[in-house]
Structures are given as structure tokens and as C-alpha cells.
Amino acid sequence: MTRVSQGRERPLTVHHLNQLLLVCSLVLLVAVAAVRISSRSGLPSLLVYLGIGIAMGQDGIGDIHFDNAELTQVIGYAALVVILAEGGLGTKWKEIEPALPAATALALAGVAVSVGVTASAAHYLIGLEWRQALIIGAVVSSTDAAAVFSVLRKIPLPSRITGTLEAESGFNDAPVVILVVAFSQAGPVEHWYRLIGEITLELAIGAAVGIAVGWLGSWGLRHVALPASGLYPIAVMAIAVTAYAAGALAHGSGFLAVYLASMAMGNAKLPHWPATRGFADGLGWIAQIGMFVLLGLLVTPHELGDDVLPGLVIGLVLTMVARPLSVVLCLTPFRVPWQEQTLMSWAGLRGAVPIILATIPMVNGVEGSRRVFNIVFVLVVVYTLVQGPTLPWLARKLRLGGDAEAADLGIESAPLERLRGHLLSVAIPEGSRMHGVEVNELRLPAGAAVTLVVRDEKSFVPLPTTVLRRGDELLVVATDPVRDAAERRLRAVGHGGKLADWLGTGGNGGSG
């Protein structure tokens, strides 16, 4: 059978390439089908992808022997950049802004508490050496928003909870990577206060680079009309990767840089935004699928027997002691209610990031690194399997399910550079309160007007008294100075309907 490790290299032929493409396409098709299975079962999809990788591995039906930790780390880093970029593009600033101080505290002080408690348990309860214990403590201190929200997708939670969890997961990857790399270096770890200073400096550099690249990229994309709409998604992802590379080359945190740059672009109302968002979402899925399958290939199931109990013990301390303690210490000063603290304590799911970070000591040749990887793998799989399905139940028991909000409008903008204007394509979804509003009741600012309505695959020029319906698509032309005001007004009416002004969501519209 296929062996992907040591041995004589064979030339790659067209036949081999066709076989490789066939296998990759079949894996992707199975993985896409697995998304449907995971959505119905409530299990995070990462478990399904890991299972595919294990089934293809040396203990499965594929009998593929893969033990290249360095290649896994490189591919994992690249996939993580794409996943962070997709997450940043989908993060709404208005949701995380109120939760930013609490999320920052969790990502910094919370990580420190979690590392200390978990490492102490690994040393005193399991008997691991301090270096191995600290590596495990650092590796499992990173949370995964994708795993959390894949389970909570059907429950509308208060924005403070979602904002805090999302921002925390975007921020805590950076300090955790720095800690794992420091603990995996040869020689003793001395002068811990210098390590804190190094973390602070790298985070500051990464944040500065990410914000700068994101702002410059957003400005460029909004003022330069590209010849094809399909180039905008590619440009956005290229800018995000540039932020990571620039941050890393500046000796800062590239992961924080790519997340902040993507978040800046995601809140900048870029042209052709729905297409860009869909493209990034698809890339994110491919990155997750490829990364999890590769991690499943790297693990050797028959070697996990001796590491199951240590993984369960360390995971129990992490879940029941370290995570709740860090949440209480970090969020109590912000007067976060105990119900929200309880949910966020249980919602600290670990995804692919800890498993990827566990390859760092393997690449650096740290003694016992293979056992560290196995323990982390067991911990992530078992406790994700336990926590994932129970999160929706816990949210309901704590009565944290919010009221359903009006569906947001899908607005796509195409710049008309020579005319100094913009063409806004507005899709009215099922839950929008714009249903039943007349065109003249939109009260768009002067310089903006609804020029066309597409309804039931038929288009017509609307009258001021035309009543808008769910499923309609509007074409709105706006001059450059009022483009933002027109979009704000449209979104305000989408949320508030005819009562947008009375509800305080008027959007500063005018009587266009």
C-alpha cells in the first residue's frame, strides 16, 4: 500500500497525478457530506475530518504511513492563516467592541492561569517533566471559535457572549504560539519576566501591522475598480496573507496580524462583499478539511492506549478547574453575570490549533514530544465529543438564548469609478422587516435612488408607492459621498421597517 515517509523516491508521473487528484476529490466530497452529518448530529465537524484521516492512515483501510511532523506543521500554519482570515472577515466590530476588554483579559491573563493550572496537573498528577507539562498546558490553552459556533449555530446568544468568545479565540492563538515555541527551545527557560515582555512586544507589533495592512488594503479596494468582480475575493485573501507575512517578518505575531487585518477589511464595506465572504468561507472549509485529515494521518491509533488516561485526567482538570478559574478571575471585574460565565467556561472548546501546536516540540526534537502529541490528541477528541453536544442544552438551561433578530440585508456594492458612484445590489431576505415598506418610505439620502426591482425573475422600474416584498432584489444607485449613508439607511429599515426612525435605527437617512 501507499507509504508516505522514508524510502526511495519515485518520479511523479501524470498517472500518479491523476490518482492523487482522484483521491483528493473523493476526500473532499466525503468531507462535504460529513458537514451535513455533523450539522444534524450536533457534533463539531472536526471529529468527522479527523476520523477520515485516521481511516486513511496506517491503522485504517488506507494504510497510508505518514509521520512527517514538520510538513504537518507547515501545512497547519498555512491552514490556520486561512481560517483566521475567514474568521476575521466574518467578525462584526459592533458585536466584539463592547466585549473587547473582557476578551483581551481572557486571551492574556486567562491563558496564563490556564497554563499554570494545567501544567501543574500534568506534572503532579501524571508525573510529566516540567518542560513537557508546560508545553501541554500552553498547547491546550487555545480555544477554537469554529468548534464553538458550529455547535451553537442554532441558538441565538447575546452578542456579549458571542463577541467575547470570538475575539478571545482570535486573540489567544498568538500568545499561546509564543509560549509553545519558547517552551520547546533547547535549554532551560530562564527569566520568565523576559518571556512576558517578548509576548507583549510581539503582540504589539502584530496588532500594529495587522491594523495598518487591513486599513491600507480596505482603502485600496474601495478606491480602485478592478476589471472583474472575481478578483476582489482573491485580493482580500492576498492582503490577509500579506498581513501574516509582514507581521512575522517584523518579528511580531503574524496570527494576530492576519486576524486584525481581516477584521478591518470585513467591517470596511468592500465592493462585491457577498462574493468575497462566500469565497473566504469556502477556503476556510477546505483549509479545515485538509488540516484535520492530515492530523488524522499523523496520529497512530495503536500507540494511544497508554496516553488515554493521562489525556482524560489533564482534560478533566482543564475543563473543570483551569478554564472556569480563568473565566471567573478575568470576567468578574467586568461584572459578567454568572450564567454567562458558566456558559463561557464550558464553551472553551479545543479544535485543530492545539493539535497543530503539539507538532512544534516534535519538530524541535523535545524529549517525550510524541507522548505530548498523543495526550493532546486524546484530550481534544474526547472533550470536544463531550462538550460539543451539551453546549446547546446548557445554553437553554441557563436561559441565554436571545430573541430572534431581523435578518440582515445582503448588500453588494460595485464601484462605478468613472461615474463617481456605486451600484448597490440589495437582497431582501425572509426575516427582513423591509417587507411591506414602500419605496418612498425608505427615505434614502439625496443622491441615492432605487432604480430597478427584480421580483419573481422579472425586473421593473419601481414607483414611489411600490411595496417591497421578501425575496425582492433592489438595484440602488448612489453617488460616492452618500454611499455609506444609503447603506446605513437600507440596513436600518431592514431591521426596523417603517418604525426605523422611531426605534432609533434611522440610519441618518434623508428624504431623497
Side-chain angles (χ1 to χ4, degrees):
M1 302 300 290
T2 307
R3 295 188 175 269
V4 189
S5 54
Q6 299 177 354
R8 186 176 59 184
E9 296 184 359
R10 293 180 295 177
L12 181 65
T13 66
V14 175
H15 178 68
H16 294 148
L17 179 60
N18 292 337
Q19 289 181 325
L20 179 62
L21 291 175
L22 177 61
V23 171
C24 291
S25 61
L26 289 176
V27 169
L28 283 175
L29 287 174
V30 172
V32 170
V35 175
R36 184 63 176 172
I37 298 175
S38 65
S39 65
R40 289 191 172 187
S41 63
L43 297 177
S45 55
L46 71 91
L47 296 180
V48 182
Y49 307 146
L50 284 173
I52 294 174
I54 294 174
M56 295 171 58
Q58 58 180 323
D59 286 351
I61 58 176
D63 195 27
I64 298 177
H65 290 231
F66 180 80
D67 58 4
N68 194 329
E70 186 173 3
L71 177 61
T72 303
Q73 180 183 330
V74 171
I75 296 178
Y77 271 37
L80 185 56
V81 169
V82 176
I83 293 171
L84 283 173
E86 190 273 331
L89 291 172
T91 300
K92 296 181 180 180
W93 174 251
K94 64 180 181 180
E95 290 186 0
I96 73 165
E97 182 182 9
L100 201 56
T104 304
L106 277 176
L108 297 177
V111 164
V113 172
S114 181
V115 171
V117 174
T118 307
S120 299
H123 177 71
Y124 291 110
L125 299 181
I126 305 302
L128 296 179
E129 296 181 356
W130 270 115
R131 179 180 295 277
Q132 299 172 358
L134 287 170
I135 290 174
I136 288 181
V139 163
V140 299
S141 295
S142 178
T143 58
D144 190 339
V148 173
F149 294 121
S150 67
V151 177
L152 296 177
R153 61 193 176 276
K154 296 182 179 179
I155 300 178
L157 293 174
S159 59
R160 177 162 62 177
I161 296 179
T162 57
T164 301
L165 290 173
E166 191 168 353
E168 178 202 6
S169 64
F171 294 161
N172 65 11
D173 289 340
V176 166
V177 169
I178 297 172
L179 286 175
V180 175
V181 171
F183 295 150
S184 301
Q185 297 297 328
V189 179
E190 298 179 347
H191 307 303
W192 58 269
Y193 53 87
R194 292 185 180 179
L195 186 58
I196 295 177
E198 180 182 348
I199 291 175
T200 304
L201 179 60
E202 290 195 19
L203 291 178
I205 294 174
V209 170
I211 293 173
V213 172
W215 184 86
L216 290 173
S218 301
W219 184 88
L221 290 175
R222 293 193 62 182
H223 289 81
V224 176
L226 298 178
S229 60
L231 294 176
Y232 284 91
I234 298 175
V236 167
M237 295 305 298
I239 293 171
V241 174
T242 299
Y244 171 81
L249 291 175
H251 301 287
S253 171
F255 293 118
L256 183 59
V258 67
Y259 182 76
L260 291 179
S262 302
M263 188 168 63
M265 290 187 290
N267 289 270
K269 299 172 184 173
L270 299 179
H272 302 290
W273 178 243
T276 300
R277 189 73 186 90
F279 179 79
D281 189 47
L283 279 185
W285 276 109
I286 292 176
Q288 289 189 60
I289 292 170
M291 179 172 57
F292 293 144
V293 170
L294 193 62
L295 291 172
L297 282 173
L298 185 63
V299 72
T300 306
H302 72 265
E303 297 179 355
L304 297 177
D306 295 336
D307 300 317
V308 171
L309 183 59
L312 294 177
V313 173
I314 296 174
L316 184 64
V317 174
L318 172 67
T319 305
M320 305 305 296
V321 181
R323 173 67 180 182
L325 181 62
S326 63
V327 169
V328 171
L329 293 178
C330 294
L331 298 187
T332 299
F334 299 99
R335 298 181 179 180
V336 177
W338 70 267
Q339 295 94 333
E340 297 183 10
Q341 291 189 28
T342 301
L343 183 64
M344 284 190 272
S345 297
W346 193 246
L349 291 183
R350 272 68 191 171
V353 177
I355 305 178
I356 294 173
L357 297 182
T359 63
I360 295 178
M362 295 175 64
V363 174
N364 291 350
V366 176
E367 183 179 357
S369 57
R370 186 72 197 191
R371 189 185 185 196
V372 169
F373 179 86
N374 290 340
I375 291 175
V376 171
F377 187 89
V378 171
L379 187 156
V380 169
V381 171
V382 172
Y383 283 92
T384 300
L385 188 62
V386 172
Q387 291 175 271
T390 58
L391 270 174
W393 173 84
L394 181 61
R396 288 191 294 268
K397 286 297 182 181
L398 294 173
R399 298 181 180 179
L400 291 176
D403 296 331
E405 298 180 355
D408 197 10
L409 295 174
I411 301 180
E412 182 170 353
S413 173
L416 306 175
E417 189 174 30
R418 293 182 59 187
L419 302 179
R420 298 183 180 274
H422 293 264
L423 180 63
L424 306 181
S425 176
V426 183
I428 304 178
E430 287 296 322
S432 175
R433 294 194 175 101
M434 191 178 284
H435 176 79
V437 176
E438 296 182 0
V439 171
N440 60 353
E441 292 176 328
L442 293 176
R443 297 185 61 215
L444 295 175
V450 180
T451 59
L452 198 68
V453 174
V454 180
R455 178 180 298 165
D456 298 330
E457 299 182 356
K458 296 180 180 179
S459 58
F460 60 92
V461 177
L463 299 173
T465 56
T466 298
V467 178
L468 302 176
R469 300 177 183 174
R470 299 184 185 95
D472 286 354
E473 183 172 353
L474 317 181
L475 294 183
V476 180
V477 175
T479 59
D480 193 64
V482 302
R483 180 242 184 256
D484 291 341
E487 181 170 341
R488 284 196 302 269
R489 177 61 187 173
L490 288 167
R491 293 192 184 278
V493 177
H495 282 279
K498 297 181 180 181
L499 300 179
D501 295 316
W502 290 94
L503 296 175
T505 57
N508 298 323
S511 56

